[in-house]
Amino acid sequence: MNNKKQVKTDLIKMENFLEYNKKIKEGEDTFKKLMFIYSMAIKELETKLEIFKSEFKFLYNYELIDYINTRIKNPKSIIKKMELKGYDLTYKEMIEHINDIAGIRIVCLLKKDIFSIRDLIQKIPGINILKQKDYITHPKKSGYSSYHLIVEVPVTLSQNIIYVKTEIQIRTVAMDFWANLEHKMKYKPEGDIDKKDSKEWINCAKMINKIDNKMMLLNR
């Protein structure tokens, strides 16, 4: 005879989990609780991706995913972004409009694998795709290339399943190399990238794209 008490688990949106219209205060319990939920969303998604990585390596002898990086946006960055965008500093505005608080970057070796990984993510049970941006087929003017998804990840707690927005970026090692250097140059204390340097960065991005395409041909 089973004497275990059955726990009811409710499906809820993030906004129903806390004081929605409250002003943001980064050191208070509400903010800490929210950051905990975002960190759990990353763990949920990272675990599923690590399973895909292991599956392809051990069952198919193929390195589909090279590595995975995760991060939670720090409080000052969240507030600064909200101020720049003109949002009220409430949890409601933060949850509705700041989609990259929880972020995960998936880096692969070949460009074609970006779309394979995207297709696998779309098939994960419970994951809701909210938005997609294909900067692989259509790179940004700066030369930036990556595939972006905004998804809702179900985080299972003892009493609730909470849907949490997470940003996913998928790119090749070469694209990641370019993006990391360009980001560091852009945000250096000494100033902006001038027009001449900007053109050079775009040219480098084009060269990297050619290298990625060449590597796909060689890999065949």
Side-chain angles (χ1 to χ4, degrees), residues 82-100:
M82 291 179 74
E83 287 172 341
L84 285 171
K85 297 281 187 181
Y87 299 132
D88 291 335
L89 295 180
T90 64
Y91 292 112
K92 175 181 184 294
E93 295 284 282
M94 180 175 137
I95 293 164
E96 284 186 358
H97 299 295
I98 309 302
N99 295 329
D100 62 345

Side-chain angles (χ1 to χ4, degrees), residues 36-47:
F36 168 77
I37 298 300
Y38 277 109
S39 69
M40 291 302 101
I42 283 181
K43 279 190 178 182
E44 290 270 0
L45 193 52
E46 188 179 15
T47 299

Side-chain angles (χ1 to χ4, degrees), residues 96-147:
E96 284 186 358
H97 299 295
I98 309 302
N99 295 329
D100 62 345
I101 293 171
I104 190 158
R105 182 177 299 152
I106 308 159
V107 180
C108 55
L109 295 174
L110 298 174
K111 191 193 283 189
K112 69 181 180 64
D113 293 335
I114 292 170
F115 299 99
S116 299
I117 294 165
R118 176 205 60 188
D119 293 345
L120 287 170
I121 290 167
Q122 289 175 337
K123 291 175 184 175
I124 297 173
I127 295 285
N128 298 322
I129 309 293
L130 301 179
K131 194 183 292 183
Q132 300 187 55
K133 287 185 179 178
D134 182 359
Y135 297 121
I136 305 298
T137 311
H138 306 287
K140 288 186 178 183
K141 287 182 180 178
S142 65
Y144 175 85
S145 288
S146 189
Y147 199 99

Side-chain angles (χ1 to χ4, degrees), residues 2-218:
N2 191 352
N3 293 320
K4 287 184 180 178
K5 185 180 177 182
Q6 187 171 355
V7 178
K8 184 184 176 185
T9 305
D10 296 320
L11 290 167
I12 63 172
K13 293 283 187 178
M14 177 76 95
E15 55 264 31
N16 299 322
F17 189 69
L18 44 81
E19 296 167 84
Y20 200 39
N21 289 302
K22 194 175 178 182
K23 287 280 184 184
I24 294 172
K25 290 182 182 176
E26 62 178 89
E28 69 172 7
D29 287 344
T30 303
F31 195 94
K32 289 176 183 176
K33 185 193 292 185
L34 193 55
M35 292 303 102
F36 168 77
I37 298 300
Y38 277 109
S39 69
M40 291 302 101
I42 283 181
K43 279 190 178 182
E44 290 270 0
L45 193 52
E46 188 179 15
T47 299
K48 289 176 172 63
L49 291 167
E50 287 289 352
I51 290 169
F52 287 144
K53 182 181 177 181
S54 297
E55 177 194 352
F56 275 80
K57 183 177 180 179
F58 291 107
L59 298 186
Y60 310 120
N61 195 29
Y62 187 75
E63 296 278 355
L64 180 68
I65 296 171
D66 191 45
Y67 59 90
I68 299 165
N69 287 331
T70 66
R71 65 108 182 94
I72 296 286
K73 211 173 187 67
N74 71 60
K76 286 182 173 57
S77 294
I78 295 168
I79 291 167
K80 185 179 178 181
K81 187 169 185 176
M82 291 179 74
E83 287 172 341
L84 285 171
K85 297 281 187 181
Y87 299 132
D88 291 335
L89 295 180
T90 64
Y91 292 112
K92 175 181 184 294
E93 295 284 282
M94 180 175 137
I95 293 164
E96 284 186 358
H97 299 295
I98 309 302
N99 295 329
D100 62 345
I101 293 171
I104 190 158
R105 182 177 299 152
I106 308 159
V107 180
C108 55
L109 295 174
L110 298 174
K111 191 193 283 189
K112 69 181 180 64
D113 293 335
I114 292 170
F115 299 99
S116 299
I117 294 165
R118 176 205 60 188
D119 293 345
L120 287 170
I121 290 167
Q122 289 175 337
K123 291 175 184 175
I124 297 173
I127 295 285
N128 298 322
I129 309 293
L130 301 179
K131 194 183 292 183
Q132 300 187 55
K133 287 185 179 178
D134 182 359
Y135 297 121
I136 305 298
T137 311
H138 306 287
K140 288 186 178 183
K141 287 182 180 178
S142 65
Y144 175 85
S145 288
S146 189
Y147 199 99
H148 288 198
L149 299 103
I150 304 297
V151 303
E152 278 186 328
V153 180
V155 174
T156 305
L157 303 176
S158 59
Q159 302 295 320
N160 307 107
I161 297 174
I162 303 172
Y163 282 96
V164 185
K165 280 195 281 188
T166 304
E167 183 190 57
I168 303 170
Q169 299 174 352
I170 317 167
R171 60 178 69 150
T172 65
V173 172
M175 291 172 193
D176 195 47
F177 167 73
W178 182 95
N180 286 334
L181 279 180
E182 194 263 354
H183 184 269
K184 285 176 183 176
M185 287 294 295
K186 190 182 287 183
Y187 291 97
K188 279 207 305 189
E190 52 264 33
D192 299 327
I193 299 173
D194 60 30
K195 284 186 178 180
K196 184 183 175 183
D197 286 342
S198 181
K199 284 181 181 178
E200 287 301 316
W201 279 105
I202 293 167
N203 288 335
C204 286
K206 288 176 180 177
M207 288 168 62
I208 281 171
N209 184 51
K210 286 179 181 177
I211 290 167
D212 269 333
N213 289 336
K214 187 98 174 186
M215 289 299 171
M216 274 203 303
L217 289 170
L218 290 171

